[in-house]
Amino acid sequence: MSAFFPGQVASALTSILQSVDVHPNQLTANNLLTDLKDEKIEALYKKALVIDGLIIPKGWNEDSFKALKQSGYSGFSTSLLSGSLKSALKNIGEWDERIKNNSDVLIKATTADDFIRAKKENKTAVLYGFQNATMMEKSIDNLDTLYNAGTRWIQLTYNQRNLLGDGSTERTDCGLSDFGIEAVERMNELGIMIDLSHCGSQTTYDGIKFSKTGACFNHTMCEALHKGHPRSKTDDQIKAMADKGGIMGIICLGYMIGPDLGTKTTLETYVDHIDHAVKIAGIDHVGVAADFAIQGLEATGATRENWYVPRLTRFKPSYNVQWPPWIPELDKPDRYLQVAKVLDKRGYSTGDIEKILGLNWLRYFKETLKS
């Protein structure tokens, strides 16, 4: 059988349409080809194991469950309350109860196998973690308590300095403290993922250096494409992370992706970050991450007054917070289906798209989490 190229297929479809007297404005060969490609990607997405590197679960409700059903997610890492050990364990208990009461939908994830089981059973695996290490308080032993409760990832610092090291907007850039290095060692022993997303530059390098397993940036972006933002990671940091087996989740929060949100910063810009990360880290070390509620910011009632204005004082000016903060295609449950369509248009293979959607996270979980 002869092979047909897209142009030949389009020509053949055009002839068929003309023979049945279909007006070109009603249906065209190119439209049919687009529909066929979309159907192919939708089928791929349905088959894929889709993992979100970071979901913010604050205010989880029935709308969240509805969005989860629309998302196609096989799993996500959830950001829990890190203010103190007491509040952290209380929040873990609340999620344990939520999963118990919705066992037909959710699975508490502690190993990579839980994500595979979730996909097979048409459920969603939830990986517990924290965007700060403040709930450790002053005791390394509290890591054991958190691990035994289900914690499987911890970001060493948020934007500010804590007992472990300096954050991304801290005035100083001193890296990990002795306490921080001790914490990394114990996290390695237990099987807790080390996340460096909000860490300062030297803390990022130290986290990679002192961790025996690969550290991750579970929600960040490329400094090469958004220069000067304190939350971005440089090519050198991305390469160092990948060389030790880590993974980088590209953040969906629009104002993190570029300075011209609503004009030049679009869904295509988001995929530009994926392209660049793949170029630097390699195809096995890049994933996706939202950094907001599963249903999107707009759907949760984010407004200029209740979302944007508070962040003008909560974050330093270097954060360059914008309003509205979202990229429309990413601010909805099927965000990664839209990403997959762009990846397909850019020539990514089926296998590589599946890696970015979730298989790279699964690989990292297998190498980092203990059974």
Side-chain angles (χ1 to χ4, degrees):
M1 182 179 290
S2 300
F4 284 90
F5 294 98
Q8 293 174 300
V9 174
S11 179
L13 287 171
T14 299
S15 297
I16 293 170
L17 292 172
Q18 290 172 345
S19 70
V20 294
D21 197 28
V22 176
H23 193 278
N25 289 338
Q26 295 174 309
L27 188 61
T28 68
N30 286 333
N31 285 342
L32 282 177
L33 282 174
T34 299
D35 289 344
L36 288 171
K37 285 178 72 68
D38 284 349
E39 286 179 13
K40 183 192 81 170
I41 295 302
E42 286 167 8
L44 166 67
Y45 190 79
K46 187 174 182 180
K47 178 176 78 76
L49 191 145
V50 180
I51 299 174
D52 194 310
L54 187 67
I55 284 293
I56 308 299
K58 184 179 179 181
W60 189 279
N61 55 25
E62 285 305 311
D63 288 339
S64 305
F65 279 110
K66 290 177 184 176
L68 185 61
K69 189 174 182 179
Q70 298 165 10
S71 71
Y73 284 14
S74 303
F76 60 86
S77 294
T78 190
S79 175
L80 303 180
L81 300 177
S82 60
S84 66
L85 182 63
K86 181 179 179 180
S87 64
L89 293 175
K90 180 175 183 291
N91 203 194
I92 285 176
E94 291 166 351
W95 266 93
D96 282 347
E97 189 69 16
R98 180 173 291 119
I99 291 172
K100 178 182 176 182
N101 293 338
N102 297 275
S103 59
D104 58 326
V105 178
L106 301 173
I107 291 174
K108 180 177 179 177
T110 56
T111 70
D113 287 344
D114 291 320
F115 289 85
I116 297 172
R117 179 164 68 92
K119 180 63 179 178
K120 289 179 178 177
E121 296 178 6
N122 196 29
K123 297 178 182 179
T124 305
V126 184
L127 193 72
Y128 294 176
F130 299 88
Q131 286 197 72
N132 208 333
T134 46
M135 71 287 169
M136 284 179 57
E137 298 176 347
K138 297 181 180 180
S139 173
I140 295 294
D141 290 342
N142 285 338
L143 284 172
D144 292 68
T145 301
L146 290 160
Y147 178 85
N148 291 333
T151 300
R152 291 299 182 270
W153 66 273
I154 296 174
Q155 186 172 265
L156 299 186
T157 75
Y158 196 61
N159 294 336
Q160 301 80 21
R161 174 190 295 161
N162 62 21
L163 292 177
L164 280 71
D166 283 354
S168 62
T169 61
E170 187 59 54
R171 181 183 62 83
T172 55
D173 184 28
C174 298
L176 286 177
S177 64
D178 289 344
F179 182 71
I181 293 173
E182 188 180 355
V184 167
E185 290 173 349
R186 186 56 185 151
M187 288 166 67
N188 284 165
E189 291 168 354
L190 290 168
I192 297 176
M193 293 159 41
I194 292 166
D195 175 39
L196 307 169
S197 296
H198 279 259
C199 292
S201 180
Q202 189 57 48
T203 305
T204 297
Y205 281 118
D206 284 353
I208 295 167
K209 174 183 176 181
F210 289 104
S211 178
K212 293 182 176 66
T213 58
C216 71
F217 312 144
N218 81 1
H219 61 299
T220 190
M221 65 287 196
C222 304
E223 197 273 342
L225 302 186
H226 195 180
K227 294 187 180 299
H229 199 289
R231 280 277 285 104
S232 62
K233 300 300 181 184
T234 66
D235 287 357
D236 190 61
Q237 290 168 335
I238 293 168
K239 187 176 187 306
M241 170 276 299
D243 285 348
K244 288 193 71 171
I247 182 172
M248 174 179 184
I250 303 299
I251 190 171
C252 290
L253 195 54
Y255 76 86
M256 293 282 189
I257 299 303
D260 304 304
L261 194 55
T263 54
K264 297 178 182 178
T265 303
T266 66
L267 175 61
E268 296 286 341
T269 316
Y270 179 82
V271 181
D272 289 343
H273 280 263
I274 292 179
D275 282 345
H276 187 80
V278 167
K279 177 183 175 183
I280 302 301
I283 190 62
D284 296 320
H285 302 278
V286 181
V288 289
D291 195 26
F292 45 74
I294 196 164
Q295 58 266 54
L297 286 168
E298 188 172 25
T300 55
T303 66
R304 185 180 182 89
E305 290 70 31
N306 68 23
W307 194 95
Y308 172 71
V309 173
R311 280 164 174 76
L312 295 180
T313 53
R314 188 184 308 171
F315 298 137
K316 290 185 175 180
S318 59
Y319 244 64
N320 191 27
V321 182
Q322 301 169 59
W323 180 261
W326 54 75
I327 293 170
E329 296 91 340
L330 300 178
D331 196 49
K332 56 183 182 177
D334 70 346
R335 55 189 62 90
Y336 300 128
L337 173 58
Q338 312 312 316
V339 172
K341 289 177 180 179
V342 179
L343 291 171
D344 178 64
K345 290 176 183 175
R346 294 195 183 187
Y348 282 78
S349 69
T350 295
D352 286 350
I353 292 173
E354 288 190 86
K355 284 184 176 184
I356 292 166
L357 289 176
L359 290 183
N360 285 341
W361 278 117
L362 185 68
R363 186 271 308 166
Y364 180 69
F365 296 157
K366 285 180 178 179
E367 294 175 1
T368 309
L369 304 178
K370 297 184 184 294
S371 58

